Structure formats: C-alpha cells, structure tokens
Amino acid sequence: MSGGGTQGKPNILLIAVDQMRGDCLGALGHPVAETPNLDRLARAGVLFRSAYSATPTCVPARAALMTGMSQRSHGRIGYQDCVPWEYEHMLAGELASAGYHTQCVGKMHVFPARNLCGFHNVVLHDGYLHHNRSRHNNSVNGHFDQVDDYLTWLRQTAGAHLDITDNGLDCNASAAARPWHLAEELHPTNWTVTQSIDFLRRRDPGKPFFLFTSFVRPHAPLDPPQAYFDMYKDLELPDPPIGDWVDVEAAKTSGSSDPVTHFGVVPKRRLDRSRAAYYALITHIDDQIGRLLNALYEYGVSQNTVVLFVSDHGELLGDHHYFRKALPYEGSAKVPFIVSDPGGMLNLRRGSSSAEVIELRDVMPTILEIAGAPIPDTVDGCSVLPLCRGEQAEWRAYIHGEHSYGALSNHFVTDGQEKYIWFSQSGEEQLFDLVGDPRELVNLAASPHWQNRLAMWRKRLAEELEGREEGYVQNGTLVAGRPPRLLLTRAT
C-alpha cells in the first residue's frame, strides 16, 4: 500500500533544523542564502513570517516543540542538560496512540539520550554534547560512544579511528569554519536523509507515518562539503547589522579571537568565512531535503504527506557583534516555519504567507489536528491550520519569550511588529519597531514618541511574569536583579 494506510489519514513529515535563522530563506528574499527546495515547500503551503522560539536554545526550544507547552508549563527557561524528560503527553506518543507509525531520525537532545519520547524508534545523532562526551561519563546510557547511532555508523563505514571532532572545529564555534574533511555522503546531513529514506522502506504500510527528520546543522561546527562552501566563499557578503545601542568598544576587547565567542568584533576575513559556511550548510540541507522529497515521490506518498519545516532557534552570526543564540534579537529568536501540503488535502491558502505571531508550542497541536488526533489539555499552543486556511480566528496578540543567560538573562514580548526587551539583571529596556526597522538598529526605549507603547509592552511583560517564583514583579512593577533560574521548580 503506497498511501497513508488503512485509516486514510495523511502521512506527516516534520523537518527540523538546528540553529537556522528565520530570515535565511529565498522565499523571504534573503540576499545570499539559496533554498530552492524549501521555497518549493512554501509555494505548496503557507510561510509564517513571524515565527519565534520563545526560549532560543536547543533544550527548552525542543521541549516546546515536543510537548506543545509554553516555557512556564514545561519549566525549562534556560539551557540545562541531564534533566529527565518526564512529560505525560508528547507529540510522537499522541500520534502513536492515534494509529501512526512514528520514527525520529537525527537530533532529539533529550535526557536520557535514548528516551523514545513516544516514538516507536529513534535513529539518533545529537551532535557534540559536552555532558555525553565527557570521559568521566561511564554510563552505558549516557556516553556518546554508546548512544549515538551516527558515530557508530561512521566508524563502521569509513574507519574505526574516525570521530566527529576530527576537523578541529568546536560544536559552538560560530566564528570559525572549514570544509567537511570526508566524502560528502558521510556528512551527518546526508546520513540523516539516508536514514529517513530507509524508514520509508521499512515502515508499516498499513499505517500512516509520522517521520521526524531532525538535522544537527546549520548549528556549528560550520563544516559544509567543499562544493557548497565554494558556492559562497568568494561572495561579497552584506555587513551584519550593528545597532546604535551596541557597545562597540566593549566588543573590540571581548572575545574577538575566540571561535566560540558570544560577543566580539571578529576579524572580517574570519567572519565572512563563517557566514559563508553557515549559508553553505543551509543550501546543503536544502539539497538533501530535495532528495527526501524525491524519495516520497518514489515511494508513492508525496501527495498524501503533509510537510512541516521549522528550526529550534536561530544564530546571531555577528549581528550586533553577537554570536550563537539565547538572546532575544531576531537573528536568535526568529525561526523559519512552513506548513506545506503538496497534495492539497488540507485546503490551505497555498503559496501565501501569514504575519500572525506563532511559536514552537504551536507545532504539536497543528500536527495533531492534521492527524485528526485529540489535543491534550496540557498543550498551551494552538493549531495554525485556521491561519493557513485564511479563516477568521481569534489569535494571540503577542508571545512572551525569555532565556536565563547570566548577566544577559532576558525577557521579550512581541507581536511580530514591535518588540520589547527587558534584561532582568540590569533592568535595561529596548524597544524596536520591527516593521520600519527589522534589523533592530534603533532602540526606541528612550524616544519621547514611543513612551506610550513602551509602557504598554512593559505592562504586558509584568502580567506574564506576575507570580513567578523568581520575584520579577512586585506591586505590578518589574524588579531587576532577581537571581535567574534555569528551571522553574513549580511549572504552572
């Protein structure tokens, strides 16, 4: 049987990438990055222009993706490894209960690493995670040599001496790059698609399938195959935005020579190589997505498979002299989000875009509605299908995002048109007009003409934080300097 199984439900392919900026799509007019296959998916569906990751690092973002919960409910408000995933309702488990054959290939980033999280099977590659690469980690359930399927495959295929660290690039080196040092088919991006295609061969033909194809790239290491690096390495790249609020002098003396820097003025030659490699990784992923879409056609399921594409968070890539993620600026917090229906099963406004503000918590209820499965009461997100169909539907006015990040711990609220940022330790405020200033160059917080809007956004954030255990709000007023936490002890 080539279709969606005896239940007549659509197959669902969720494609996730790690650390891809929301603006790096040809369909959005990016001046450099080429993404023809993702653009094709957008033409067969709906592209969301104001999609965000409310907690923009891997672990908390994936908690929202897999549970449909806000960060206040799932409790992860910073990056913390080795915290067990013990949620009652997760996406794959709900789909399995609804009769789907469920499979993940690639990155999960859960704990313990081999936690199925409701999937029938996981073929795992989380990339380099410090806690499971530690030589002090002797647990058979935790060490990379035991839990990672890609590394085992690489050594069996190309040589027992190989490792993913052989090219010398750190897993957080956003300011360093070099081409992939092995044959292209050995790259983890290719492996992820190869294993995804193999699932199409092995799946139960009597059931619809849910396939989660989860790439580690374009997260560092920035190591595209040579052919892709060559596409970008000699291009004249536009300069990254530097806001009028940036302390440039501090950036000049802070981490400029460190390939894993969070903040610094990186030498232009090295910065341009890193940015070129980042765009090259995206195009490499795009080509491999094209390979996976071709496989859907060859297995006769392309017309009854709905495809969602999303990233867990972005990459600052030198914007305002910042790198990596966790900050509330567009390069870090905004993500690509596409709902594609090549077979026209869902009555979407194909080829359209939506400006409503959405978040990763909306992925789970959207997929469950596509599958005709119940949405658990634990889910805080909302299905975006009404937006995709152009239906008149009440939608949230804004989202609240945050990240515990030491001295730069932050909160933001945005409707996709304006953004208010509050740094909880210093009390610094920023306000951006995202319509007139999408690159966040001008901080309007001190502008006399924007004081009413500033007060409105400040009030909204105070309402979001009212009653939080950190004590960020007292008598309706934001209070700076309260110690941030990585985990809420009582998620509500």
Side-chain angles (χ1 to χ4, degrees), residues 118-421:
F119 284 99
H120 289 116
N121 186 52
V122 174
V123 183
L124 185 67
H125 177 51
D126 276 335
Y128 188 104
L129 300 181
H130 290 85
H131 71 275
N132 67 10
R133 288 292 302 219
S134 171
R135 297 299 179 186
H136 299 290
N137 183 352
N138 296 316
S139 169
V140 71
N141 295 317
H143 195 272
F144 192 83
D145 286 330
Q146 302 297 324
V147 302
D148 192 274
D149 295 315
Y150 166 73
L151 181 58
T152 299
W153 172 87
L154 179 67
R155 289 170 172 169
Q156 291 173 344
T157 303
H161 62 287
L162 293 176
D163 202 345
I164 62 170
T165 59
D166 290 344
N167 60 13
L169 295 176
D170 188 271
C171 66
N172 287 315
S174 293
R178 58 151 292 175
W180 176 245
H181 57 295
L182 300 173
E184 182 181 328
E185 64 266 22
L186 300 177
H187 196 281
T189 291
N190 296 62
W191 174 86
T192 300
V193 170
T194 298
Q195 296 294 325
S196 295
I197 293 172
D198 196 51
F199 167 73
L200 298 179
R201 175 185 66 82
R202 294 183 294 103
R203 69 186 182 90
D204 182 344
K207 293 183 176 182
F209 67 78
F210 170 57
L211 173 59
F212 180 34
T213 297
S214 182
F215 296 97
V216 171
R217 304 297 190 272
H219 190 296
L222 304 180
D223 60 351
Q226 184 72 56
Y228 292 92
F229 189 56
D230 289 346
M231 292 174 61
Y232 291 96
K233 66 181 178 63
D234 296 323
L235 295 182
E236 188 69 30
L237 302 177
D239 292 332
I242 308 296
D244 67 357
W245 44 271
V246 177
D247 188 342
V248 176
E249 292 305 312
K252 290 178 179 178
T253 60
S254 176
S256 300
S257 62
D258 189 343
V260 299
T261 186
H262 293 272
F263 180 60
V265 179
V266 173
K268 178 175 173 52
R269 180 180 176 185
R270 178 144 49 90
L271 176 61
D272 283 351
R273 282 179 61 86
S274 300
R275 295 166 72 209
Y278 180 80
Y279 299 138
L281 284 171
I282 291 172
T283 299
H284 180 209
I285 290 171
D286 187 86
D287 278 355
Q288 288 299 305
I289 289 173
R291 178 180 164 217
L292 180 54
L293 296 177
N294 286 343
L296 293 177
Y297 168 78
E298 291 174 355
Y299 278 93
V301 294
S302 60
Q303 295 302 295
N304 62 341
T305 299
V306 176
V307 183
L308 280 78
F309 175 82
V310 73
S311 179
D312 57 353
H313 52 76
E315 158 66 63
L316 283 157
L317 206 64
D319 287 5
H320 316 298
H321 296 308
Y322 284 106
F323 294 84
R324 299 165 62 177
K325 58 267 190 179
L327 290 173
Y329 305 116
E330 295 287 272
S332 168
K334 202 167 194 177
V335 296
F337 196 116
I338 298 170
V339 180
S340 187
D341 180 21
M345 296 178 291
L346 303 178
N347 195 30
L348 307 185
R349 295 182 299 132
R350 291 158 59 94
S352 68
S353 65
S354 175
E356 282 82 1
V357 65
I358 66 171
E359 206 272 314
L360 293 181
R361 74 192 74 154
D362 299 324
V363 171
M364 179 170 170
T366 300
I367 289 177
L368 292 180
E369 183 178 356
I370 291 169
I375 298 174
D377 292 340
T378 55
V379 169
D380 298 314
C382 300
S383 170
V384 303
L385 287 189
L387 304 179
C388 293
R389 294 173 177 140
E391 298 172 357
Q392 293 295 322
E394 290 188 11
W395 196 252
R396 64 176 67 96
Y398 63 93
I399 62 158
H400 164 229
E402 63 182 297
H403 206 284
S404 296
Y405 198 44
L408 292 177
S409 294
N410 59 82
H411 294 262
F412 69 97
V413 278
T414 182
D415 60 0
Q417 301 184 59
E418 297 172 4
K419 183 193 293 178
Y420 170 75
I421 298 169

Side-chain angles (χ1 to χ4, degrees), residues 17 259 372:
V17 290

